[in-house]
Amino acid sequence: QVQLVESGGGLVQAGGSLGLSCAASGNFFSINGMGWYRQAPGKQRELVAGITSGGNTNYADSVKGRFTISRDNAKNTVYLQMNTLKPEDTAVYYCNAGIRIASWGTYNNYWGQGTQVTVSS
């Protein structure tokens, strides 16, 4: 069974930094794109940052210049380094990955369990 296991997150003051990581575990053939989404109370889930298998990245305008996404393909892990955090970054952050179970299969979407990030003012 494929799982995305997140770690990191927590409480930090505005202007501080936090790092998130997400590792894919289980039996699978390959991982395509990986990314981080977030959902604040009363709001829709939104894309924060994404990274392709080749390392191309994209970011939400609200986090450009502050957040950095990276991945270690050997460890099947994606990271999100968050700097200069703001109270509006407070949300549950979810890891996402396109994973193919077998070489003949298609990529399916998998989600982590979510981790809370709270930024105090």
Side-chain angles (χ1 to χ4, degrees):
Q1 184 177 1
V2 176
Q3 285 187 313
L4 295 178
V5 180
E6 301 167 5
S7 60
L11 174 64
V12 66
Q13 287 189 332
S17 298
L18 280 176
L20 305 179
S21 64
C22 171
S25 64
N27 294 317
F28 54 87
F29 181 75
S30 64
I31 302 176
N32 196 0
M34 304 183 81
W36 290 93
Y37 288 72
R38 67 186 180 188
Q39 187 166 20
K43 294 188 177 181
Q44 290 188 333
R45 190 174 297 189
E46 63 175 358
L47 174 68
V48 176
I51 185 168
T52 67
S53 57
N56 293 317
T57 59
N58 64 289
Y59 297 90
D61 288 342
S62 59
V63 307
K64 282 181 181 177
R66 301 187 298 120
F67 290 12
T68 302
I69 189 171
S70 61
R71 65 189 285 173
D72 185 333
N73 291 332
K75 295 181 179 180
N76 298 316
T77 300
V78 62
Y79 306 93
L80 185 68
Q81 179 62 38
M82 304 181 290
N83 298 327
T84 319
L85 282 160
K86 304 175 180 179
E88 51 263 44
D89 294 319
T90 296
V92 177
Y93 283 69
Y94 296 92
C95 171
N96 173 267
I99 298 176
R100 185 165 56 172
I101 302 299
S103 60
W104 59 87
T106 59
Y107 285 100
N108 292 313
N109 216 18
Y110 289 82
W111 293 92
Q113 77 281 7
T115 185
Q116 178 70 45
V117 171
T118 302
V119 184
S120 64
S121 57

